[in-house]
Amino acid sequence: MTAGETAAVAMVDGETADAAMVDCETAAMAAVDWTRARRLDRRVYLRSHPVLFTLLCATRRRPVVRLGRTVLVHGTTPYLEVLTRVPLDRAAPGTTGGVVAQLTGGGQLFDQDGPDHRAARRSTATELSAAALHTRLRPLWQAALAELLDAARADGLVDLVDLAEQVAGVTAATLTGSRADPRALARAATAAAAAAARDHLPGLRPHREGVTTAAVAALGALLPDPADAMLVVAAVNTTRTALPRAAAWCADANHWPNTEGARGAQGAQSAHGLAVELLRRTAPAPLLPRVAAADAIVAGVPIRAGDRLLLVTRHAAQAHRPAAPATAATTQAVFGAGPHACPGAGLARAQLADFLLALAPYRPTVVRREVDRRAALPGYRALVVRLRGAEVAHGQAGTAGRDEPGSRTDRGRETPCE
């Protein structure tokens, strides 16, 4: 087993990446000019859900802000306190668990509490264990990456959103036993998430009645057990969002793991540190909607039972601050905290590390990018890159870290909201 695989095993078991490895990669990232990458990634947020994220930007100066019966939680410490100390109504309308209960009848990981939740987490932990990663999941997504990148060498172009959908679909199909086409499964999960978000997130116009239920049913029809639909929604949409955005950061700054020559093993190891840090900086799921089940006081702000809580993961992870150092708290924030933290954190980190390692030898440059304005999570609808190794084979030239002249780039007016 390589050094990189050893690190991946530790993360899948629920541990944070080895501190020395992450610190080394964080130091390396600090020497890179990420200005352009960060500016372009900020546009993804503001153009995907402009009303919601403009509101969050405008209120982030204070760690906790009350707006009527809604409480916005921005600070790292208050965010973690809410998730670990404040009683939450897991099945309240408008929360993740509430959406699951409404669409599937409940009784799942997202809306459970107490012994049922602990039992569900143990089952999920087994499916996402180190053994499962290396014997069932990782070989499949690595094969999918290798196959699609090899096919793309013909013209040197590949859409990283399509690539991420294939990785997400293969993983979800394996976890659920689905025989559906991986990409069809991923796209059904994306459609279901987009419909659910439109019905429940502030600032979005709801669909007409029945659209979300139909989207979830269409996804369930692709699964042996339709009850797995919301688990697939969560896994697919996070992957579909995180992988292309992290790769865009690397392309825009021309900073990739070094996989060549004697430094190849070191690059494979550092890729995991890079993945951990890029997940913090991109915060793929930037907002956690919750509802308080009891009165509490957080950062001096009284919270009443029934208050709607919007936990801003992006700000709790300090992703909006260019010079903010990574800490254990901010790194974990993107996956929640406490007994209801995301059990797939290690899987996400290993998957992103492999994605970056697969792309690194080609030093991709962005040809076209388009923000997805309908998706549940801020991400790209298309992110087409040119594989520079293929360019050499075809006698073409590329410019590292810059969209090619004449390409369709999602440009627009700058905003002071960072």
Side-chain angles (χ1 to χ4, degrees), residues 102-103 188-189 191-193 195-196 199 207-222 229:
Q102 176 187 346
L103 296 175
D199 285 346
H207 280 299
R208 63 183 184 276
E209 186 175 354
V211 170
T212 302
T213 302
V216 174
L219 172 60
L222 300 176

Side-chain angles (χ1 to χ4, degrees), residues 18-86:
D18 178 77
M21 179 179 67
V22 176
D23 288 347
C24 180
E25 183 54 42
T26 301
M29 291 181 71
V32 177
D33 184 1
W34 296 98
T35 304
R36 184 172 186 272
R38 185 173 176 275
R39 172 170 53 83
L40 291 172
D41 191 63
R42 189 171 68 243
R43 290 181 183 175
V44 176
Y45 274 93
L46 295 176
R47 295 185 182 183
S48 61
H49 302 296
V51 175
L52 176 59
F53 288 116
T54 298
L55 170 65
L56 298 183
C57 285
T59 60
R60 73 164 189 252
R61 301 299 178 186
R62 287 185 286 170
V64 180
V65 180
R66 173 178 287 281
L67 299 175
R69 290 301 303 272
T70 298
V71 179
L72 307 178
V73 181
H74 298 281
T76 305
T77 300
Y79 172 94
L80 297 175
E81 183 177 350
V82 168
L83 289 174
T84 57
R85 297 181 58 189
V86 176

Side-chain angles (χ1 to χ4, degrees), residues 16-191:
T16 303
D18 178 77
M21 179 179 67
V22 176
D23 288 347
C24 180
E25 183 54 42
T26 301
M29 291 181 71
V32 177
D33 184 1
W34 296 98
T35 304
R36 184 172 186 272
R38 185 173 176 275
R39 172 170 53 83
L40 291 172
D41 191 63
R42 189 171 68 243
R43 290 181 183 175
V44 176
Y45 274 93
L46 295 176
R47 295 185 182 183
S48 61
H49 302 296
V51 175
L52 176 59
F53 288 116
T54 298
L55 170 65
L56 298 183
C57 285
T59 60
R60 73 164 189 252
R61 301 299 178 186
R62 287 185 286 170
V64 180
V65 180
R66 173 178 287 281
L67 299 175
R69 290 301 303 272
T70 298
V71 179
L72 307 178
V73 181
H74 298 281
T76 305
T77 300
Y79 172 94
L80 297 175
E81 183 177 350
V82 168
L83 289 174
T84 57
R85 297 181 58 189
V86 176
L88 302 174
D89 185 344
R90 299 282 294 167
T95 66
T96 304
V99 173
V100 171
Q102 176 187 346
L103 296 175
T104 67
Q108 298 189 42
L109 182 66
F110 300 95
D111 65 316
Q112 291 173 328
D113 217 335
D116 289 341
H117 180 261
R118 288 192 290 272
R121 281 190 69 89
R122 283 195 295 270
S123 175
T124 303
T126 300
E127 293 178 348
L128 301 180
S129 67
L133 173 69
H134 288 284
T135 61
R136 297 179 60 207
L137 302 176
R138 202 161 186 241
L140 293 175
W141 79 55
Q142 287 178 328
L145 285 169
E147 180 181 352
L148 292 175
L149 287 173
D150 186 62
R153 288 179 60 85
D155 62 3
L157 297 176
V158 63
D159 186 343
L160 296 188
V161 175
D162 286 346
L163 199 61
E165 283 181 344
Q166 186 71 12
V167 169
V170 165
T171 304
T174 305
L175 287 172
T176 61
S178 173
R179 295 187 177 182
D181 174 73
R183 190 161 293 164
L185 182 62
R187 289 179 178 174
T190 300

Side-chain angles (χ1 to χ4, degrees), residues 378-414:
Y380 287 106
R381 185 170 182 267
L383 183 69
V384 179
V385 299
R386 186 177 301 282
L387 306 180
R388 299 178 71 201
E391 288 174 2
V392 172
H394 289 79
Q396 300 172 352
T399 304
R402 294 292 183 267
D403 299 88
E404 294 185 357
S407 65
R408 180 183 175 184
T409 303
D410 197 9
R411 306 181 191 279
R413 180 174 58 86
E414 288 299 319

